Amino acid sequence: MKKITSRAVICGLIFLIAAGCKKLTETPYGSKTIDAGGASSSADLNGVYSQLYGQADQANTYALQEHPTDEMMGPTRGTDWGDFGTWRKLHTHTWTPTHNQVNDTWDQLNIGVYRATQVIVRATDAKIKAEASFLRAWYMFQVIDLYGQAPYRDPNSPNTSIPIVYNRSDATDFIIKDLEFAEANLTTSANIGIASKAAAQALLAKIYLNKAVYKSAVVGGPFTFVKADMDKVIEYANKVTAAGYSLEPAGKYFQDFAWDNSEQSHANIFGIYNTTTNAPGSAKNRWRMGLHYNQTPDGWNGFTTLADFYKSFEATDERRGVAYPGLTDKIGLRAGFAVGQQFGPGGVALKQRGGKPLIFTEDVNLNYSTEAQGIRVFKYFPQPTGNTVNDDNSSNDYVFLRYADVLLEKAEAIMRGGSDPNGQTALAIVNAVRVPRGATPLASVDATAMLAERGRELYYEGWRRNDLIRFEKFNDPVDQRPAKTDKSKTIYPIPQRAVDTNPNLKQNAGY
């Protein structure tokens, strides 16, 4: 079982919530702190990139974005995965201002913002400044998406100064300016792990699509989508298309996530570049969190999807699951959703630890499940060598921004009143994504169909909470959460220790 470990960085975090520390002294994930004085270098920039690595973990940012939704839960299995209720509380929307993952995510993201700011303030090279601006926008976007307000401290301010706090609206404007600067000064990149012009454009499209949420005076909606914002989504989406990105052809959906996605993907825009000798943001958490102990490779037997979400896929939809060449024929693992009898190398039917057949079932109980209950998801998967796997350094690039996401954002923007100068319709775009996957073309598209299609295309990629909130469906009942929850749950509480030490932070309503 994968345990939660604390990533609190005591002195390095205080600068975001109070005054008193001169500079970061801890180095989580191998990050580098920039010394006071002097110009920033590419080595300093590496420390900003390194804050991304934790987002490939199954906890914190990823957990906050996925577990409260209709596509993931972390059931307790006897003594496994109890973890003091951290996963159960996320799924049931019962977290508090002292929730461990709420605290750790706040720390992780705000460290990223501050380190990026250090580079921006001291950089003399325009490209370094632009990459840091993109990264600061990336981290701050997630801070306001999750928490609704963002502390900010200029590295040149006195040590005694207390960080200011941007509200969600002002932070959104700040992020857009960072991304506009990044777009103007970045170039193309063959390496997914380096911020590029297309990455800035893709994130700008996402910001403008969510602007109605971030500018709303009412937490949780209703939201008003402005045509000018939707036109900006379309503008930036078209720029990404013009940069040469494309959807994977029929039968190649999982190519974006496979061990050779660096070479094979036509659609991955930004993420973490991994190789077999250096995988700082390894995707192995994504398969190990669901794999049973007796599968190859052995897993942590944890998270599952919800049966209703699985049933939203047509049987012919490739995204629901396929036998993947070089994977299934070697170790028995299928790409996508795993339900029913599971197999190992040589096609051997696997068993549970007690000897019963290893049959993943649709039924699952959040508070108590057996080791075989729950449908598992393997969107990323390891590269077998013969009938074995060594996934300590998995070469799958970890993907944050992908072209299909951008296309569906464009379709949604058109549906919400935006105008495409190229004349595409929302329906045509959605079907252009669906049909190569083996799904039946839709006859029409409305908000319900759009949200469902985003779920089918982007499941387990960390966007579901963001989507559900924008469509005002986040608080709806789901399996193991039978009652509608309050709209205040669409943002997380500010960690209590942050509120206690920075008077500019005000606890979010409902907490």
Side-chain angles (χ1 to χ4, degrees):
M1 176 180 64
K2 181 69 172 178
K3 298 286 189 180
I4 292 291
T5 56
S6 174
R7 290 181 172 87
V9 184
I10 298 173
C11 181
L13 297 174
I14 295 298
F15 62 75
L16 292 168
I17 52 178
C21 288
K22 184 174 182 180
K23 64 175 184 177
L24 274 171
T25 56
E26 290 284 328
T27 55
Y29 309 111
S31 303
K32 175 180 170 62
T33 299
I34 303 162
D35 293 328
S40 292
S41 66
S42 58
D44 297 324
L45 189 61
N46 289 341
V48 187
Y49 277 108
S50 70
Q51 282 301 116
L52 293 170
Y53 304 159
Q55 294 185 28
D57 194 82
Q58 83 285 348
N60 299 339
T61 304
Y62 182 76
L64 296 193
Q65 296 286 17
E66 286 288 353
H67 279 270
T69 75
D70 60 353
E71 69 179 27
M72 184 183 287
M73 70 172 80
T76 298
R77 303 178 188 277
T79 59
D80 287 350
W81 289 99
D83 293 322
F84 304 103
T86 185
W87 313 106
R88 299 192 301 272
K89 291 173 184 176
L90 290 179
H91 188 71
T92 56
H93 294 190
T94 54
W95 53 76
T96 69
T98 59
H99 190 94
N100 62 317
Q101 300 201 58
V102 169
N103 292 344
D104 292 349
T105 303
W106 172 268
D107 295 347
Q108 188 180 73
L109 294 174
N110 281 301
I111 289 173
V113 171
Y114 187 77
R115 285 186 172 145
T117 302
Q118 286 182 300
V119 173
I120 292 166
V121 167
R122 295 168 187 151
T124 56
D125 182 278
K127 187 172 183 299
I128 290 177
K129 189 183 290 283
E131 287 185 58
S133 295
F134 171 82
L135 291 169
R136 180 168 69 180
W138 174 261
Y139 296 124
M140 189 178 286
F141 154 63
Q142 292 175 83
V143 171
I144 65 162
D145 184 71
L146 292 166
Y147 300 97
Q149 51 187 301
Y152 178 81
R153 179 177 175 181
D154 187 327
N156 292 327
S157 62
N159 289 337
T160 55
S161 66
I162 296 174
I164 63 172
V165 174
Y166 289 119
N167 63 35
R168 217 175 196 184
S169 178
D170 291 343
T172 300
D173 296 336
F174 186 95
I175 291 165
I176 289 172
K177 288 181 180 178
D178 261 355
L179 290 173
E180 288 173 342
F181 176 81
E183 184 202 12
N185 290 278
L186 291 174
T187 58
T188 59
S189 175
N191 186 332
I192 188 177
I194 297 176
S196 65
K197 187 179 291 289
Q201 292 160 349
L203 189 51
L204 276 162
K206 191 171 288 290
I207 296 296
Y208 275 103
L209 187 61
N210 286 283
K211 200 173 176 184
V213 177
Y214 302 152
K215 291 284 184 176
S216 175
V218 181
V219 172
F223 305 121
T224 301
F225 294 86
V226 178
K227 182 181 186 303
D229 293 337
M230 298 303 98
D231 287 345
K232 294 296 284 186
V233 176
I234 295 165
E235 174 191 338
Y236 286 117
N238 286 342
K239 287 182 177 181
V240 174
T241 299
Y245 293 91
S246 62
L247 292 172
E248 305 304 342
K252 300 292 185 181
Y253 173 74
F254 289 102
Q255 190 166 272
D256 285 350
F257 312 98
W259 55 80
D260 56 355
N261 61 349
S262 292
E263 295 78 29
Q264 298 299 322
S265 174
H266 306 89
N268 294 341
I269 300 169
F270 179 69
I272 303 171
Y273 180 75
N274 292 313
T275 70
T276 54
T277 58
N278 183 30
S282 174
K284 72 177 182 180
N285 287 318
R286 291 298 171 270
W287 56 79
R288 284 191 174 262
M289 67 190 192
L291 281 165
H292 185 268
Y293 316 109
N294 292 340
Q295 289 182 281
T296 301
D298 62 306
W300 304 324
N301 202 43
F303 306 158
T304 76
T305 193
L306 281 63
D308 288 341
F309 185 76
Y310 170 74
K311 292 175 182 177
S312 72
F313 291 78
E314 294 175 277
T316 57
D317 195 330
E318 177 193 4
R319 298 170 297 190
R320 193 171 88 156
V322 296
Y324 194 87
L327 175 74
T328 311
D329 54 311
K330 292 183 180 297
I331 61 173
L333 188 67
R334 288 170 57 89
F337 294 85
V339 61
Q341 176 66 56
Q342 299 303 295
F343 298 89
V348 175
L350 296 175
K351 296 181 179 181
Q352 302 179 43
R353 291 179 295 183
K356 294 181 180 179
L358 181 59
I359 299 174
F360 290 153
T361 63
E362 292 184 5
D363 64 299
V364 62
N365 186 292
L366 187 63
N367 294 300
Y368 178 79
S369 284
T370 65
E371 62 184 75
Q373 285 184 302
I375 301 169
R376 315 305 167 86
V377 180
F378 306 119
K379 197 163 193 176
Y380 290 89
F381 39 83
Q383 180 178 15
T385 302
N387 292 334
T388 62
V389 172
N390 181 356
D391 62 357
D392 287 337
N393 282 308
S394 302
S395 57
N396 317 58
D397 290 343
Y398 189 80
V399 185
F400 293 127
L401 295 172
R402 195 162 63 85
Y403 184 57
D405 186 5
V406 175
L407 278 183
L408 290 175
E409 287 171 343
K410 176 181 174 179
E412 184 182 333
I414 294 171
M415 183 193 73
R416 295 190 187 280
S419 302
D420 178 26
N422 297 331
Q424 283 188 296
T425 65
L427 178 62
I429 296 171
V430 169
N431 281 333
V433 173
R434 281 177 58 82
V435 172
R437 316 307 191 203
T440 305
L442 298 178
S444 62
V445 63
D446 57 10
T448 299
M450 187 70 71
L451 176 61
E453 193 58 35
R454 284 191 61 82
R456 286 186 287 265
E457 178 65 26
L458 301 166
Y459 67 90
Y460 269 48
E461 293 182 46
W463 296 119
R464 190 59 175 171
R465 172 186 163 276
N466 179 272
D467 288 343
L468 288 170
I469 291 170
R470 190 172 64 256
F471 282 85
E472 299 179 37
K473 295 294 184 181
F474 179 74
N475 304 105
D476 288 359
V478 298
D479 187 16
Q480 308 297 297
R481 192 179 70 235
K484 190 177 183 69
T485 61
D486 191 78
K487 287 184 177 181
S488 63
K489 299 301 181 180
T490 57
I491 53 175
Y492 287 98
I494 306 300
Q496 190 58 49
R497 55 177 170 70
V499 174
D500 291 343
T501 52
N502 184 343
N504 293 327
L505 285 166
K506 305 300 180 186
Q507 187 56 268
N508 291 322
Y511 298 104

